Amino acid sequence: MSDRISVAKTYKLYIGGAFPRSESGRSYPVTDSRGGFLANAAQGSRKDARDAVGAARKAFPGWSGATAYNRGQVLYRVAELLEGRREQFVAEVAASEGTKRGEALVDAAIDRWVWYAGWTDKIASVFGASNPVAGPYFSFSVPEPTGVVAVLAPQTSSLLGLVSVVAPVIAAGNTCVVVASQDRPLPAITLSEVLATSDVPGGVVNVLTGRTAEIAPWLAAHADVNALDLTGAPDAIKADLERAAAGTVKRLVRGGRGEPDWSREPDVSRMRAVLETKTVWHPMGV
Amino acid sequence: MSNWEYAPAPESRDIANLKPAYRMFVDGKFVEGSGEPLKTVNPATEEVLAEVSTASKADVDTAVKAARRAYDRVWGRMPGAERAKYIFRIARLVQERSRELAVLESLDNGKPIKESRDVDVPTAAAHFFYHAGWADKLGYAGFGPDPRPLGVAGQVIPWNFPLLMASWKIAPALACGNTVVLKPAETTPLTALVLAEICQQAELPPGVVNILPGAGDVGSELVNHAGVDKVAFTGSTEVGKLIQRSLAGSGKKMTMELGGKAANIVFDDAPLDQAVEGIVNGIFFNQGHVCCAGSRLLVQESIADELLEKLRTRVATLRVGDSLDKNTDVGAINSRAQLEKIQELAAAGEAEGAQRWTSPVPVPDKGFFFAPTVFSDVQQSMRIAREEIFGPVLSVLTFRTPDEAVAKANNTPYGLSAGIWTEKGSRILWAAQRMRAGVVWANTFNRFDPTAPFGGYQESGFGREGGRAGLEAYLDV
């Protein structure tokens, strides 16, 4: 009797709800923390990034226009599916990060997703206002999503870090293009499979794998990207990316030096960074 | 039937207490700047009003250091309740000196006295009053129980609302516990320097507010100074991009209030006479020198002819001229350079095939003036529909369906403001929701209040001024 040969998986990009290979035809080897081969991942290109931005833009009206109640349920559905595939994530996170804390990290990621799911229908009342202007007008301010957000995912924390940067962006009603951790991309691709089978509309989250430093400048300069999260950007090119982003006055989430402690309880700052405040005035009278 | 002409009703320029020379304000004192002095002129007469000293690179450094000292030793650690009282004092002093400030503003800027008197100065006072109250209540602002100030704020403001912009910048910064170094625009430095006098009268601790007149090089020196923790800029998108680029990698917190090309949408059921007033207010208020001016009029095709006729009739009655005359509706363009820019863009509109109509109103021979102008048959590709003109020039486009109106309104990299005119409430809310703009005025235009957040989407900038949302700009949150 020979041992069973496992079915090896081909990991692909996630764009517009579909799983294409990279347009460039390239891939790169992904290894575990000890250098053992895990899989080849697609090495996304400039064209892939452009397609992803297009998909995110196309998905924006529907997602931002959905009711907050609906968005909350969709996000919670993602947590449900994450929970269902918990063991797979634990194995992938452990292999990627070389940690024995895989279970704790995955549980935290699931709980974080639930935390943000509960935010969708509270954002407007917490960040909005009825403005007591000195005149016969009704003036109110509502928070609105800024649009398409390009996210450079944390390089170290392959799942918890990723969830911590993606969930606030879509909870706030934006759509996004995420560049996964360059060396630890597999949990991100599996998360894509979860998103694809949950109720998140195609294009709301688009996941690219590949070289962050190669893809990021195109996203930073893209005129149809409204905000850029630099959390996972290599320090050496952060300032260049900020300069490129200035060309279209992009909103920036700069991220400090080094990676944040993702185990800390989150706050609202990541949602606030991708929200605009719209103030509407109307006269009052008879 | 006799023709009732307006008699001139000039405000006295003596009220401005104009001095022959003004100096910069650093560390609580008025001192001679070591930059090249500038002469500020009255754009309505082209006469020199005063000589103003400007800052050099070394002066910027001195001012930033004074602000840092004041932050570390006094202002940053002062209880909010005490900070509040200083800011309330400033609000009161602005009110007490309101007439003087209004006349001075109109002299230096060229705007009609009725606008500086009724809008600029009262709103400036209101900003200090509103923010003073926040100083000891920041824990209730929604950013956590103990939000911290950022440190020294470097602020650069434009020439269209010199005193009001200074107040928008200084009041929230001080309320949140920051100290400031502010650079007013080179053509309109005077009221900011009187505001500095007011800070002295309020006995504000030295260094908390510093005012450095000068041109763009002083602004650049200031925003790039290593001792500045936060940069707040109001001005053109072009300069905003330069600043964002030059601060890349610095970690400084930024807020940008940049240009606009606002759509003012008139649906076929709009109250036309009210809409005409709103359109006039939207584009001819402050000579159109308003970043959120309603410079693109989108009219439903079925009422376009009727509306345009009413609009031209109304615009023809606007009086252009002496900014100190209480009957003046449209004052002087702020500078020769700005006048030339407006002339160039208007010429481009004609060259590209739009129909130009210019008000037949008499315009003074001296000074920088531009008669109210309305372009019809404007296409979206034309420069006058895409570029910010920053003058009394309106571009009129038409649409057939609400969806087309929204698509055309949003067809711009800018996103500061928008106007909607319709009697149907549900349509107002529908359209307001779809506008990619930070401020939406429905059946009104150009309303401002310190309690209402103001700021842009997209290339009109980021960050808000006013309201609870505006405090974020000056807090470490």
Side-chain angles (χ1 to χ4, degrees), chain B residues 31-323:
Chain B
V31 293
E32 206 60 49
S34 44
E36 190 66 30
L38 62 85
K39 288 183 168 55
T40 191
V41 304
N42 178 349
T45 59
E46 300 179 53
E47 64 163 332
V48 173
L49 290 170
E51 186 168 286
V52 182
S53 77
T54 70
S56 66
K57 189 173 172 176
D59 294 330
V60 172
D61 189 55
T62 307
V64 172
K65 284 185 174 138
R68 169 66 53 195
R69 229 173 12 249
Y71 175 74
D72 287 340
R73 297 185 189 166
V74 186
W75 198 251
R77 54 174 66 176
M78 185 184 292
E82 302 299 311
R83 285 205 310 270
K85 286 187 271 184
Y86 282 110
I87 305 168
F88 276 126
R89 277 186 189 176
I90 296 173
R92 276 290 190 252
L93 290 164
V94 169
Q95 289 170 331
E96 286 163 19
R97 297 177 68 172
S98 59
R99 199 160 165 212
E100 171 195 352
L101 284 164
V103 177
L104 187 61
E105 193 76 308
S106 281
L107 281 175
D108 201 18
N109 169 280
K111 66 175 67 200
I113 184 71
K114 69 172 186 186
E115 290 178 3
S116 52
R117 181 192 63 198
D118 298 348
V119 180
D120 293 53
V121 179
T123 314
H127 270 269
F128 281 106
F129 202 87
Y130 172 75
H131 285 100
W134 269 123
D136 55 355
K137 300 169 193 68
L138 293 170
Y140 292 92
F143 303 106
D146 185 27
R148 305 298 306 155
L150 293 161
V152 176
Q155 308 177 316
V156 177
I157 58 169
W159 47 259
N160 57 342
F161 293 93
L163 177 71
L164 183 55
M165 288 298 120
S167 307
W168 280 35
K169 293 278 179 289
I170 294 173
L174 298 194
C176 294
N178 306 274
T179 57
V180 309
V181 181
L182 176 132
K183 187 199 87 68
E186 66 182 305
T187 59
T188 55
L190 298 185
T191 46
L193 293 168
V194 174
L195 186 61
E197 276 178 35
I198 286 173
C199 291
Q200 263 187 340
Q201 288 183 330
E203 294 171 359
L204 194 69
V208 173
V209 170
N210 304 272
I211 312 267
L212 299 180
D217 56 328
V218 180
S220 167
E221 199 62 50
L222 175 59
V223 301
N224 287 295
H225 193 289
V228 165
D229 304 292
K230 190 253 152 41
V231 168
F233 173 73
T234 295
S236 71
T237 293
E238 183 191 349
V239 175
K241 287 180 182 181
L242 283 176
I243 294 175
Q244 194 180 0
R245 201 169 285 135
S246 76
L247 294 183
S250 71
K252 285 179 192 171
K253 190 158 173 170
M254 282 178 264
T255 41
M256 297 276 163
E257 297 291 352
L258 309 178
K261 191 74 191 173
N264 203 359
I265 305 174
V266 183
F267 288 101
D268 57 8
D269 66 339
L272 284 197
D273 292 321
Q274 282 177 42
V276 165
E277 289 307 309
I279 294 160
V280 167
N281 179 250
I283 185 61
F284 301 119
F285 172 66
N286 205 42
Q287 296 74 245
H289 299 330
V290 187
C291 48
C292 51
S295 54
R296 277 186 304 149
L297 181 65
L298 296 175
V299 191
Q300 196 146 15
E301 202 176 80
S302 53
I303 55 158
D305 290 341
E306 188 188 354
L307 182 80
L308 266 173
E309 197 186 320
K310 279 176 182 281
L311 183 64
R312 289 184 188 126
T313 306
R314 175 68 181 91
V315 175
T317 66
L318 294 175
R319 296 165 61 85
V320 177
D322 182 4
S323 43

